[in-house]
Amino acid sequence: MLKKIDRIRLELANEVLNSSASREDYRVRYLGSKGLLKELYQEFKSVASEEKREIGLALNQLKQAIEERLETAGTNDEAPKQQKEINDVTRPASTETVGTLHPLHLITQEIISIFERIGFTQSEGPEIEDDWHNFSALNFPADHPARDMQDTFFLDTPFNQFSLRTHTSSVQVRVMESSTMPVRTISAGRVYRNEAISARAHCFFHQIEGLYIDEEVTMADLKQTLDYFAKALFGPEVHIRLRPSYFPFTEPSAEVDVSCSLCQGSGCNVCKYTGWLEILGCGMVDPNVLSSCGIDAKKYTGFAFGMGVERIAQLKYRVNDLRLYSENDLRFLQQFHL
Ligand code: DAH
């Protein structure tokens, strides 16, 4: 009897109930006083008592399904009436909510397009990096503090061999290892550091790395490129200055400030009354790094630079709390447009 019930349930789906005549026919066949359901309940009386429970349940479910089928068919009947209203072409369209691009994405695209105009290609690398690409090839000594557990998220692998990349400089190494010279490329991406989350620090953020290697590339080329970049991004009136600094992978190294576009350098609370805003780190690629990547350091020189996307966004959009960028609050995100 169970099989029979199953079969009838399957057949229900094939019933066509698109008119009141067909619905009435259905009702009589299934639910009428001489209908199928009546017949089944009759048959049920002679079912062995140990099977009654299971078959009774199936029978009740079938009854429900038969009734539901009829009810939903009834609502279909009203469809043609509604259809007329929907087809009213003069009716104003319902408003669509259109998403906006994330502010960090907008800034990244803007920076990429500025460098593309002067011949930089784009490149990318993995977020899980090995020690070689994130540190060793970049001339980090074995005991350099940046390798420390405090800073780096190491993966649970033997000898701390893999970590989440702490900077996009790792992509430099991959590009140098796999390209024929000259190269001119920028790499944007997410990086990770083991920092407590606050308004000023986050455990992940975004960087854009630049690299240019050719014969006879000099510090003057670096300065010229960054000056062009700063003017394109912040406006033609800004200028830059380079302050000596230190990074293991560049020699000499510098930090770059741009004149404060808010107060034109005269001093305000954004630039902390210095007239300058720090925007990136840079330098001439250390010959050790070139050699580590299989490049002839006697023939080639190059420059590199790296900037934090959140830092640039903070300056452009005046957003001072880093957490806003990753909290997905629509009230924040909807303010940014192309
Ligand atoms: N990788 C550095 C950081 O995360 C930024 C940087 C500085 C990149 C100088 C460079 C560079 O390419 O030349 O702080």
Side-chain angles (χ1 to χ4, degrees), residues 166-167 169 172 193 207 209-210 247 249-250 281-283 304-306:
T166 59
H167 52 182
S169 302
Q172 271 190 38
R193 288 190 202 168
Q207 288 189 333
E209 187 81 12
F247 300 101
F249 36 91
T250 43
C282 65
F305 55 86

Side-chain angles (χ1 to χ4, degrees), residues 138 140 166-170 172 191 193 205 207-211 222 246-247 249-250 252-255 280-285 303-308:
L138 288 164
F140 279 83
T166 59
H167 52 182
T168 43
S169 302
S170 56
Q172 271 190 38
V191 301
R193 288 190 202 168
F205 50 99
Q207 288 189 333
I208 294 180
E209 187 81 12
L211 177 73
L222 170 62
Y246 172 78
F247 300 101
F249 36 91
T250 43
S253 305
E255 263 159 282
L280 56 84
C282 65
M284 300 303 293
V285 180
F303 66 69
F305 55 86
M307 68 188 97

